[in-house]
């Protein structure tokens, strides 16, 4: 029973002491503790197991019990102290609450008193300031009334004076008075509902209208549209009238300017009528001389009459340009058949000079719809007329050096008057384009005739292949045409000129360059081994003479120069032409043409050297290699190949010294042509004895060393061959050496021989393996077993996308099939 009562007590105690997680967390934050007894999830069994983990630890159980009892007594003392301290807490709390309530009541009373006093103070301030506000409003209204009355008095008096002065034409006084009246009238815009104010405003408008009509009438009287000008200089009345026109409607000022300029240029229209002799292009200088005299005369007589900000001198010049452009366009349409190139260029030159004169004299601020526009900073210039101030001689020199893209000086500001007159010549520039077409055709024909007369260039072994002089002449002429045409127009005529350039660049490439390349002639009949072995330097093995080799190199260098200069020419044309037309400038086709000439030239050089080596390779394949008894020096055919290389390569290298990259291309193409041909002839050497294979291996090594030294052979300056070329030679000649090493290897045991072949050549083609067996001189029965073993020992082709390519190596190619068919046909013919 006692135990049950204790358990019930413990459960009740746990129910009472069960705290929420928030309370427990707050307690842990206020009283942090690491003691397991203070944890909310305390487990007595785990705690006891921690204190006594083993049976041996029970030996100190009395000490542990004493420590726990001591701790219990301390906790009891602390609880007792706290409970006793809380005995009077309730009574003290109630007393403190009552005191706080009393303090709040007192504070509320004080706040109410302060609020009442504030309201009384506000009411008092309002009563004090009420009279002051009334005085302020009265003062402001009185000031406004006095100012308005003063303005009204000024306006009324000003309108009366304005009407009186207008009738008496006192423009000097009117100019100052009118501006003041208009400024005063602006203050009455909000009073326009008052009839008197509206009446004054209408009187001002009527006075302005009357002034405008009166001033126009005065100018019409002073400068009548019909008849001659009134003698004498301008009057002060008209000068003051211009000041008034600045204030009136802008249309009055525009009408004055229009009538004055029209009257001023009336004499010009009479003197240079379409039916007059001086109106034609050959006397175009007289037009510009006339306007220059008129501008000087205007400055002397009327310069002070018009305000400076009217820019009257510039306006007269601009209107003259518009009239001149219209008149010239009309007369050129009528007499189009009489326009010649020299006459057209003369007129354009004089016109562009005059436009340059206007650009130096005036700013061009009146060119946009007659508005007075001050030019602050000119936009980026695209006008080729104001390009760098280099002389034509310097430009020609730059063209000859192919230095069209050298840095230029900063361009001068754009000419705002460019094309203001010369635009009328643009529809007739076809005459100039046709003339350049004709001139360039004659120039190309002269180049062809000169080349035939002078013959090919002389061999040059010091400074490299000479560029044909006609090439520089052509591009110098192109430069002149381009600069000249860009001064005439930067629009469609430049596109037409570009088309002409393209036409004759192609003609130069085919007639001068490709047309003069030496033709290859296939030799009839072959050379015997004995004649080949007796071949010496200077023999007829090389198909091209020294002069022909130099000519090919010269044409190659010229084509390279043309290629680079054509690219620069395209860039220059795009700079000269309007931005909207740059996409139509494209010389890619012409550059491709010159690239074709370069490729053909290199191919000719390769074919020549390749053909010279063919007899030696033929001799190699016809030698009886099974009868060779000992290994000696290099074979005669190797000496012959080296001889041809030493004859041709130094000449080609020296003549291509200025175009080193194309000499490298020549070496690479020759290696790619010679090495496969050498291997093909190597397979024809059958059967081969062991000694013969050793001799061929020695010869192959000699050719390999010569080919590696090919770029610098015969040169005093030894240069390292390009890596790309060396890689090709090493790869190709190493394959030839591997073939010979396989031939030298014994074919017994067969498995070792086949594995050695696969390891050295890594070639899965049965055709190549068949050729190796033929070179060793094996019988057909032996070859059959070897081929079967070879097919069995081939590595398994990889699975996936690489499998088809590997299998294709085993399948016969179309060339192999055709070769088998030809062999079958020969066999049938023999039996028949």
């Amino acid at each position: 029973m006692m135990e049950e009562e204790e358990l019930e007590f413990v459960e009740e105690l746990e129910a009472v002491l069960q705290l929420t997680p928030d309370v427990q967390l707050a307690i842990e934050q206020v009283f942090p503790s690491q003691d397991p007894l203070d944890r909310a999830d305390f487990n007595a069994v785990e705690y006891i197991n921690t204190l006594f983990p083993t049976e041996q630890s029970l030996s100190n159980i009395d000490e542990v019990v004493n420590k726990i009892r001591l701790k219990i007594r301390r906790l009891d003392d602390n609880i007792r102290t706290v409970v006793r301290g809380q005995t009077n807490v309730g009574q003290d709390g109630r007393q403190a609450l009552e005191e706080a309530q009393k303090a709040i009541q007192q504070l509320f009373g004080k706040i109410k008193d302060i609020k009442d006093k504030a309201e009384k103070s506000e009411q008092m301030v309002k009563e004090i300031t009420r009279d002051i506000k009334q005085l302020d409003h009265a003062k402001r209204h009185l000031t406004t009334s006095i100012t308005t009355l003063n303005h009204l008095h000024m306006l009324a008096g000003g309108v009366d004076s304005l009407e009186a002065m207008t009738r008496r034409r006192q423009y000097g006084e009117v100019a100052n008075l009118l501006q003041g009246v208009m400024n005063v009238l602006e203050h009455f815009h909000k009073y326009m509902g008052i009839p008197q104010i509206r009446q004054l405003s209408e009187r001002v408008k009527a006075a302005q209208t009357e002034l405008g009509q009166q001033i126009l009438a005065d100018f019409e009287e002073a400068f009548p549209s019909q008849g001659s000008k009134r003698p004498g200089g301008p009057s002060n009345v008209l000068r003051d009238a211009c000041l008034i026109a600045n204030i009136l409607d802008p249309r009055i000022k525009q009408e004055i300017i229009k009538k004055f300029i029209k009257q001023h240029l009336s004499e010009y229209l009479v003197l240079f009528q379409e039916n007059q002799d001086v109106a034609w292009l050959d006397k175009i200088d007289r037009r510009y001389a006339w306007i220059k005299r008129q501008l000087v005369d205007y400055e002397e007589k009327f310069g002070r009459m018009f305000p400076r900000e009217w820019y009257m001198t510039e306006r007269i010049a601009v209107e003259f340009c518009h009239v001149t452009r219209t008149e010239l366009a009309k007369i050129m349409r009528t007499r189009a058949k009489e326009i010649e190139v020299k006459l057209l260029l003369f007129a354009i030159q004089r016109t562009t000079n005059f436009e340059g004169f206007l650009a130096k004299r005036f700013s061009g601020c009146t060119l946009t719809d007659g508005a007075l526009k001050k030019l602050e900073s000119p936009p980026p210039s695209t006008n080729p007329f104001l390009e760098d101030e280099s002389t034509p001689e310097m430009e020609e020199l730059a063209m000859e050096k192919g230095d069209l893209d050298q840095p230029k000086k900063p361009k001068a500001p754009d000419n705002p008057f460019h094309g203001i007159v010369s635009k009328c010549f643009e529809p007739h520039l076809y005459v100039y384009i046709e003339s350049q077409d004709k001139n360039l055709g004659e120039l190309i024909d002269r180049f062809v005739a000169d080349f035939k007369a002078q013959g090919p260039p002389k061999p040059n072994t010091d400074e490299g292949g000479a560029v044909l002089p006609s090439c520089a002449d052509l591009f110098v002429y192109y430069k002149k045409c381009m600069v000249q045409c860009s001064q005439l127009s930067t629009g469609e005529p430049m596109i037409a000129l570009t088309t002409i350039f393209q036409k004759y660049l192609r003609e130069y490439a085919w007639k001068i360059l490709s047309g003069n390349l030496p033709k290859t002639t296939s030799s009839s009949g072959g050379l015997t081994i004995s004649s080949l072995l007796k071949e010496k330097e200077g023999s007829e093995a090389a198909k091209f003479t020294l002069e022909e080799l130099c000519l090919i190199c010269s044409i190659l260098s010229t084509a390279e120069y043309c290629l680079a200069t054509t690219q620069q020419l395209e860039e220059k044309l795009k700079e000269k032409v309007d931005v909207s037309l740059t996409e139509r400038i494209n010389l890619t086709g012409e550059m491709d043409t010159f690239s074709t000439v370069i490729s053909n030239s290199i191919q000719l050089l390769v074919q020549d050297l390749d053909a010279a080596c063919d007899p030696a390779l033929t001799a190699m394949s016809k030698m009886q290699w099974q009868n060779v008894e000992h290994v000696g020096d290099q074979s005669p055919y190797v000496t012959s190949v080296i001889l041809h290389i030493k004859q041709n390569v130094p000449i080609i290298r020296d003549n291509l010294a200025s175009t080193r990259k194309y000499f490298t291309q020549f070496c690479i193409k020759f290696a790619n042509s010679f090495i496969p041909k050498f291997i093909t002839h190597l397979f024809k050497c059958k059967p081969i004895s062991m000694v013969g294979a050793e001799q061929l291996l020695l010869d192959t090594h000699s050719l390999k060393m010569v080919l590696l030294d090919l770029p610098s052979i015969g040169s005093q300056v030894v240069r390292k061959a390009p890596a790309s070329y060396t890689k090709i030679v090493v790869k190709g000649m190493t394959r030839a050496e591997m073939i010979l090493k396989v031939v030298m290897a014994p074919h017994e045991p067969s498995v070792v021989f086949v594995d050695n072949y696969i390891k050295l050549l890594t070639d899965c083609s049965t055709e190549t393996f068949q050729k190796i067996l033929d070179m060793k001189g094996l019988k057909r029965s032996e070859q059959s077993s070897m081929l079967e073993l070879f097919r069995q020992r081939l590595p398994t082709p990889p699975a996936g996308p690489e499998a088809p390519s590997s299998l294709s190596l085993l399948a016969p190619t179309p060339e192999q099939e055709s070769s088998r068919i030809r062999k079958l046909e020969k066999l049938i013919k023999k039996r028949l």
Side-chain angles (χ1 to χ4, degrees):
M1 291 296 293
M2 291 294 294
E3 293 178 355
E4 292 178 356
E5 291 177 357
E6 289 179 357
L7 290 174
E8 292 177 357
F9 175 75
V10 171
E11 292 177 355
E12 292 176 358
L13 184 61
E14 289 180 352
V16 173
L17 295 179
Q18 189 67 29
L19 302 177
T20 62
D22 296 338
V23 175
Q24 187 66 35
L25 181 63
I27 293 174
E28 291 178 357
Q29 292 178 352
V30 175
F31 302 104
S33 174
Q34 301 296 329
D35 194 342
L37 295 173
D38 294 334
R39 293 177 58 184
D41 56 347
F42 174 74
N43 190 324
V45 176
E46 291 181 359
Y47 183 69
I48 293 173
N49 290 333
T50 303
L51 293 177
F52 307 103
T54 60
E55 293 181 358
Q56 289 78 9
S57 60
L58 293 174
S59 59
N60 60 348
I61 186 172
D62 294 334
E63 183 180 353
V64 173
V65 170
N66 291 334
K67 287 183 179 179
I68 292 176
R69 287 176 178 172
L70 178 61
K71 189 172 184 179
I72 292 173
R73 283 197 297 271
R74 289 179 180 175
L75 287 174
D76 289 340
D77 294 341
N78 291 336
I79 292 172
R80 190 180 302 108
T81 302
V82 172
V83 170
R84 290 175 180 175
Q86 295 294 324
T87 302
N88 300 325
V89 169
Q91 185 177 355
D92 295 340
R94 285 191 296 273
Q95 184 179 356
L97 180 61
E98 291 175 356
E99 292 177 355
Q101 289 176 346
K102 291 179 181 179
I104 291 173
Q105 290 177 355
Q106 294 176 0
L107 180 62
F108 181 75
K110 292 180 180 179
I111 292 173
K112 187 176 180 182
D113 293 340
I114 293 172
K115 184 178 180 181
D116 294 339
K117 291 179 181 179
E119 290 177 353
K120 293 179 181 179
S121 299
E122 182 180 1
Q123 186 66 27
M124 188 181 299
V125 170
K126 287 182 179 179
E127 293 176 358
I128 294 173
T129 58
R130 183 181 297 115
D131 297 335
I132 297 175
K133 286 183 179 180
Q134 290 178 354
L135 290 174
D136 286 341
H137 288 305
K139 179 182 178 181
R140 184 164 60 252
H141 294 160
L142 183 60
T143 302
T144 304
S145 301
I146 293 173
T147 303
T148 304
L149 288 173
N150 188 23
H151 287 166
L152 182 60
H153 176 71
M154 292 171 59
L155 180 61
V159 171
D160 293 337
S161 301
L162 182 63
E163 293 174 344
M165 292 177 182
T166 301
R167 289 191 294 271
R168 295 193 296 270
R169 283 182 165 77
Q170 296 176 349
Y171 294 143
E173 292 79 0
V174 169
N176 296 325
L177 180 59
L178 179 61
Q179 186 64 52
V181 169
M182 294 178 65
N183 292 337
V184 173
L185 188 60
E186 291 179 358
H187 295 281
F188 290 92
H189 282 320
K190 55 185 176 181
Y191 303 117
M192 285 301 171
I194 302 174
Q196 291 80 0
I197 301 299
R198 186 167 60 251
Q199 182 181 2
L200 285 174
S201 176
E202 292 174 354
R203 288 176 62 188
V204 172
K205 292 180 181 178
Q208 288 178 326
T209 304
E210 183 180 356
L211 273 172
Q213 296 174 353
Q214 190 169 298
I215 290 172
L216 290 176
D218 291 343
F219 269 93
E220 180 66 26
E221 181 182 354
F223 307 101
S225 301
Q226 302 295 333
S228 59
K229 292 183 291 185
R230 189 181 65 177
S235 64
N236 293 331
V237 175
L238 296 180
R239 182 180 60 192
D240 296 336
C242 292
L243 298 177
I244 297 175
N246 264 340
I247 305 172
L248 297 176
D249 191 338
R251 289 177 293 181
I252 302 297
K253 182 182 72 174
Q254 296 298 332
E255 188 67 21
I256 294 173
I257 293 173
K258 181 179 178 181
K259 286 187 176 181
F260 179 81
I261 294 176
K262 182 178 179 181
Q263 192 276 339
H264 212 70
L265 295 178
S266 58
E267 179 184 352
Y268 172 72
L269 294 174
V270 174
L271 290 176
F272 295 91
Q273 287 183 2
E274 187 176 348
N275 56 0
Q276 299 293 327
D277 292 338
V278 293
W280 189 228
L281 300 180
D282 58 344
K283 297 180 177 61
I284 198 171
D285 279 341
R286 297 190 182 184
R287 294 177 181 266
Y288 305 133
W290 182 89
I291 189 59
K292 289 178 182 179
R293 291 195 302 269
Q294 291 299 314
L295 293 178
V296 173
D297 182 66
Y298 166 81
E299 291 289 348
E300 292 177 354
K301 294 182 179 180
F302 306 103
R304 297 182 180 180
M305 185 176 76
F306 295 100
R308 180 182 296 273
E309 62 271 17
W310 284 22
Y311 299 100
M312 284 300 295
T313 309
E314 181 176 331
R315 291 180 184 275
I316 293 172
V318 170
E319 184 62 24
F320 166 82
C321 292
H322 293 325
V323 172
T324 302
R325 185 178 69 244
T326 304
E327 293 297 321
L328 287 176
K330 187 190 304 181
I331 194 172
M332 283 192 292
R333 281 196 303 269
T334 306
R335 305 171 62 176
K337 295 182 179 180
E338 301 179 29
I339 300 177
E340 298 178 353
V341 177
K342 292 183 179 180
L343 180 62
L344 182 65
L345 293 180
F346 167 78
I348 293 175
Q349 182 184 7
R350 294 295 187 268
T351 302
T352 52
N353 290 343
F354 176 69
E355 291 172 350
F357 162 76
L358 294 180
K360 294 179 181 178
R361 180 79 181 276
F362 306 115
S363 63
C365 59
T366 64
L367 292 176
T368 308
D369 298 330
L372 301 181
K373 181 181 176 184
K374 188 98 174 187
L375 291 181
E376 297 176 357
S377 58
S381 173
T382 57
N383 178 19
F385 179 70
L386 290 174
E387 205 178 352
D388 54 316
E389 300 178 354
S390 58
T391 62
E393 292 77 7
M394 293 174 64
E395 292 178 349
E396 292 179 11
L397 181 60
M399 173 65 78
E400 291 175 359
K401 293 182 178 180
D403 195 15
L404 282 175
D405 59 344
Q406 60 184 351
K408 300 287 185 181
K409 299 178 182 177
K411 292 185 178 180
D414 191 10
N415 177 6
F417 296 93
H418 177 68
I420 192 171
V421 179
S422 57
K423 197 74 174 177
C424 66
F425 297 110
E426 189 164 317
H428 303 277
L429 285 177
Y430 68 89
V431 177
Y432 171 78
I433 301 299
E434 291 174 356
S435 172
Q436 297 306 324
D437 189 3
K438 180 181 177 182
N439 292 342
L440 283 169
E442 294 175 352
L443 189 65
I444 294 295
D445 293 340
R446 180 166 63 84
F447 290 161
V448 174
D450 291 346
F451 190 91
K452 291 180 179 179
Q454 298 175 3
K458 302 300 181 182
N460 186 358
T461 58
D462 295 329
E463 300 178 357
V467 176
L468 299 179
S470 59
C471 176
D473 295 341
L474 177 66
F475 281 100
V476 167
Y477 190 82
Y478 273 11
K479 176 68 174 180
K480 290 180 180 179
C481 294
M482 179 181 64
V483 174
Q484 193 175 44
C485 187
S486 65
Q487 295 175 356
L488 307 181
S489 171
T490 57
E492 288 293 336
M494 282 292 290
I495 302 298
L497 184 67
T498 302
T499 304
I500 299 298
F501 285 175
Q502 291 174 304
K503 172 184 175 182
Y504 288 103
L505 282 174
R506 291 192 295 268
E507 285 200 12
Y508 185 85
W510 296 122
K511 290 184 178 181
I512 307 299
L513 300 182
S514 293
N516 288 303
L517 282 174
K519 303 297 186 293
T520 57
T521 56
S522 57
S523 57
S524 59
L527 296 177
T528 62
I529 299 178
S530 58
S531 64
L532 177 64
L533 298 179
K534 295 179 181 179
E535 187 179 20
K536 295 182 179 180
E537 185 178 0
S539 65
E540 298 179 356
K543 293 187 178 182
F544 289 147
T545 63
L546 174 61
E547 289 75 13
E548 288 174 332
L549 289 176
C550 294
L551 173 60
I552 295 174
C553 294
S554 180
I555 290 176
L556 192 153
S557 300
T558 304
E560 185 208 19
Y561 172 86
C562 291
L563 176 62
T565 313
T566 301
Q567 183 178 1
Q568 297 165 9
L569 178 65
E570 179 183 6
E571 296 173 359
K572 279 296 178 182
L573 286 170
K574 288 183 177 180
E575 291 179 8
K576 301 290 186 183
V577 80
D578 292 338
V579 178
S580 59
L581 301 176
T582 51
E583 293 182 358
R584 296 172 60 183
I585 304 291
N586 187 0
L587 302 183
T588 305
E590 289 64 40
M591 288 187 275
D592 291 342
T593 301
F594 288 117
S595 298
T596 303
V597 174
I598 293 173
S599 299
N600 292 341
S601 301
I602 295 174
Q603 192 61 35
L604 278 178
L605 296 173
V606 172
Q607 289 177 359
D608 177 63
L609 183 56
D610 209 12
C613 297
D614 279 346
L617 297 179
T618 303
M620 177 191 75
S621 62
K622 292 182 178 181
M623 287 183 64
Q624 302 297 322
W625 292 102
Q626 74 274 19
N627 298 329
V628 177
E629 298 179 353
H630 62 276
V631 179
D633 294 333
Q634 62 187 24
S635 302
Y637 74 89
V638 176
T639 305
S640 177
V641 171
I642 296 174
L643 177 64
H644 288 300
I645 291 176
K646 289 184 176 180
Q647 284 178 345
N648 284 26
V649 173
I651 298 173
I652 296 171
R653 182 184 59 244
D654 294 340
N655 281 275
L656 295 181
S658 59
T659 57
R660 186 72 184 177
K661 62 179 180 180
Y662 293 116
F663 174 69
T664 302
Q665 288 187 21
F666 159 76
C667 295
I668 291 174
K669 286 188 176 182
F670 174 72
N672 283 328
S673 173
F674 176 80
I675 294 175
K677 188 178 294 186
F678 173 74
I679 293 176
T680 301
H681 282 80
L682 195 62
F683 282 130
K684 296 180 181 179
C685 299
K686 55 186 178 181
I688 303 176
S689 63
M690 179 65 70
V691 179
E694 292 178 356
Q695 180 64 49
L696 275 173
L697 185 61
L698 176 63
D699 295 341
T700 302
H701 181 73
S702 299
L703 287 175
K704 178 181 178 180
M705 300 310 296
V706 170
L707 290 176
L708 288 174
D709 192 43
L710 181 70
S712 60
I713 194 169
S715 175
Q716 297 179 355
V717 180
V718 178
R719 293 185 180 179
K720 186 178 179 181
S724 57
Y725 170 77
T726 303
K727 183 178 179 181
I728 293 172
V729 173
V730 170
K731 181 179 180 181
M733 297 305 290
T734 300
R735 173 175 169 78
E737 292 175 344
M738 292 300 104
I739 291 172
L740 292 173
K741 288 182 180 180
V742 171
V743 172
M744 293 170 59
H747 61 278
E748 294 294 343
S750 301
V751 175
V752 176
F753 176 77
V754 171
D755 290 344
N756 190 35
Y757 168 83
I758 295 174
K759 179 181 178 182
L760 291 177
L761 291 181
T762 64
D763 192 346
C764 297
S765 171
T766 55
E767 183 181 3
T768 304
F769 188 69
Q770 176 77 53
K771 292 178 181 179
I772 296 291
L773 297 180
D774 290 339
M775 293 175 70
K776 291 183 68 67
L778 296 180
K779 297 178 181 180
R780 289 297 175 182
S781 58
E782 295 177 331
Q783 290 187 12
S784 299
S785 60
M786 294 285 279
L787 285 172
E788 185 64 27
L789 179 62
F790 172 73
R791 292 188 182 95
Q792 295 175 0
R793 303 290 293 181
L794 280 177
T796 304
E802 296 182 359
S805 61
S806 301
L807 292 174
S808 64
L809 294 175
L810 301 176
T813 62
E815 292 78 4
Q816 297 170 4
E817 291 291 343
S818 61
S819 176
R820 293 176 182 176
I821 292 173
R822 286 196 298 270
K823 291 180 179 179
L824 183 59
E825 289 176 351
K826 291 180 180 179
L827 182 61
I828 293 173
K829 288 179 181 179
K830 287 181 180 180
R831 292 186 177 180
L832 291 175

